[in-house]
Amino acid sequence: MSLSDHALLRYDRQIALKDFDIDKQQQLAAAKVIIVGMGGLGCVVATYLASSGIGQLTLVDPDTVSLSNLPRQILFTETDCGKAKVEVAKQQLALRNPDCQVIISQQAFGKSSEWLARCAEHNMVIDCTDQLSSRQQINHLCFTTSTPLVSGAAIRMEGCVISFTWQKDEPCYECLSHFFGEPVGSCVENGVMAPLTGIIGSLQAMEAIRHLTQYGSETKGRYLLYDAMNFSFTPLKVKRNPDCRLCA
Ligand SMILES: [Zn+2]
């Protein structure tokens, strides 16, 4: 996909990056990405991916905007309360970058043949959901279709990011299950500090761009934990679980 003069000007600071150049900006323009969940993570991921030149975003979320969403969900305002999140997000992203094609779905993402086909048509899925069951379903669909997956989570004052590109010996999300412990519930019961979703969502957007363009080093099995309470990032290495109920 060749870039217009307008696009060359718009993305000039990215194109100026060493080894990124016009080639990788063109790869972003050709990329199709699904974002599941338009909460605190999804709003940030969608904003950065649209603004940095991704060609097509598919936004998936069945919910409507509520007042308690507003501290984290930066695409929405008080006048949007009661409206479908994906509708408002589409309008806001069009204002920020009309060159990004935005497709929306108010269906819940699930293990259906329709979603399996849609995963296979996209270059990447970004998991911005807040339920373990949703994460497991997304992992299952991406594993089945070998669609790269960037997964992020944020709760209380803690967050994490990991990517799955389905290479040999790479773990899947289920392989990490020993990290989960007892289910901790959602942000509704546990709370979450607003900028945390901005930090984790930004890391997810950065990883998405890196994987879509093969820019920078590989991150096979690297799991990054962020502890906001103690101002620390901890990188962990996750191995494939030989007894994993999905990928073993
Ligand atoms: Zn696995």
Side-chain angles (χ1 to χ4, degrees):
M1 187 177 283
S2 64
L3 297 175
S4 64
D5 289 347
H6 179 80
L8 291 172
L9 196 58
R10 182 177 188 121
Y11 306 116
D12 174 71
R13 302 298 188 275
Q14 289 180 180
I15 291 168
L17 284 165
K18 187 175 182 296
D19 300 328
F20 196 80
D21 219 322
I22 294 174
D23 289 350
K24 295 205 184 294
Q25 192 64 49
Q26 285 173 332
Q27 288 173 25
L28 293 184
K32 297 178 179 183
V33 175
I34 300 181
I35 301 174
V36 190
M38 285 306 295
L41 299 175
C43 282
V44 172
V45 171
T47 299
Y48 270 120
L49 292 190
S51 69
S52 49
I54 298 287
Q56 189 191 96
L57 293 177
T58 299
L59 312 179
V60 187
D61 198 310
D63 289 343
T64 53
V65 178
S66 63
L67 194 61
S68 64
N69 297 151
L70 300 182
R72 298 168 306 289
Q73 302 182 19
I74 55 170
L75 285 170
F76 313 134
T77 64
E78 288 206 11
T79 57
D80 297 321
C81 288
K83 296 179 188 167
K85 288 184 178 181
V86 290
E87 295 273 5
V88 180
K90 182 178 179 172
Q91 289 167 10
Q92 287 299 316
L93 296 173
L95 292 172
R96 284 156 207 239
N97 190 353
D99 293 336
C100 177
Q101 189 192 359
V102 178
I103 295 164
I104 57 175
S105 174
Q106 263 190 278
Q107 281 178 286
F109 193 87
K111 275 190 196 172
S112 67
S113 56
E114 187 199 333
W115 280 113
L116 203 64
R118 291 180 84 169
C119 279
E121 287 165 5
H122 286 74
N123 302 100
M124 174 173 283
V125 175
I126 306 188
D127 182 353
C128 298
T129 63
D130 59 359
Q131 300 279 330
L132 183 59
S133 59
S134 306
R135 295 173 183 284
Q136 288 170 327
Q137 286 187 348
I138 293 166
N139 178 59
H140 189 280
L141 288 180
C142 289
F143 173 77
T144 307
T145 55
S146 299
T147 311
L149 167 64
V150 178
S151 181
I155 193 164
R156 297 179 295 243
M157 291 283 281
E158 301 139 33
C160 59
V161 179
I162 184 168
S163 304
F164 305 97
T165 54
W166 315 116
Q167 299 171 68
K168 192 172 178 289
D169 300 328
E170 192 177 340
C172 79
Y173 190 79
E174 289 284 347
C175 293
L176 276 73
S177 55
H178 59 283
F179 282 111
F180 303 154
E182 292 299 309
V184 291
S186 70
C187 294
V188 177
E189 303 102 58
N190 289 276
V192 57
M193 191 64 79
L196 180 72
T197 53
I199 293 163
I200 299 300
S202 298
L203 286 169
Q204 285 180 280
M206 181 64 89
E207 286 306 286
I209 288 171
R210 289 194 336 98
H211 290 300
L212 288 166
T213 57
Q214 282 102 48
Y215 191 55
S217 65
E218 271 195 17
T219 56
K220 194 165 107 175
R222 277 163 64 186
Y223 185 53
L224 187 63
L225 292 175
Y226 173 55
D227 175 358
M229 212 62 155
N230 293 299
F231 188 46
S232 72
F233 282 96
T234 308
L236 301 172
K237 184 82 182 162
V238 184
K239 289 207 167 78
R240 190 172 196 176
N241 175 4
D243 300 319
C244 175
R245 60 182 180 170
L246 179 65
C247 73

